[in-house]
Amino acid sequence: MNATLSLYRDILRTARRWPSKNRKRIIEEIRSDFRAHKYESDPTKLKVMLEEARIGLASLRMQVAELGDPAQTSIQYQFGQK
């Protein structure tokens, strides 16, 4: 569980640096997605969702590092699609 919390915090920290006027909405989507799956207990689903979150974090970090013009940015964050 500590690894999940750490991942969640890393994603939020990175999202706070997102150079976009949509930053607040993106952060709320991240929070909402994690909350929606808070009580998931199926180990297979958890493994898949955590891997998706790690991949998403890596992608978000790359985009934050590479983006130059905040006015032209757009992101959609999806976690644990049903």
Side-chain angles (χ1 to χ4, degrees):
M1 190 63 95
N2 286 337
T4 303
L5 183 57
S6 178
L7 177 61
Y8 172 71
R9 288 178 179 166
D10 284 347
I11 292 170
L12 287 178
R13 259 189 238 104
T14 304
R16 284 186 193 109
R17 295 185 346 209
W18 182 258
S20 172
K21 59 187 172 189
N22 297 321
R23 181 182 317 123
K24 288 182 182 181
R25 181 186 57 78
I26 293 164
I27 290 170
E28 192 50 45
E29 284 181 29
I30 293 165
R31 287 181 175 143
S32 176
D33 286 342
F34 269 84
R35 284 183 194 129
H37 297 93
K38 183 177 183 176
Y39 298 106
E40 182 61 62
S41 60
D42 182 327
T44 304
K45 287 182 181 179
L46 285 170
K47 184 177 180 180
V48 169
M49 287 189 291
L50 289 172
E51 185 57 29
E52 288 174 355
R54 286 184 192 101
I55 291 168
L57 175 58
S59 175
L60 184 61
R61 282 180 174 161
M62 283 186 356
Q63 292 174 13
V64 165
E66 292 175 2
L67 289 174
D69 185 0
Q72 297 181 14
T73 61
S74 176
I75 186 171
Q76 267 201 334
Y77 175 84
Q78 294 183 352
F79 178 76
Q81 295 179 0
K82 295 179 183 179

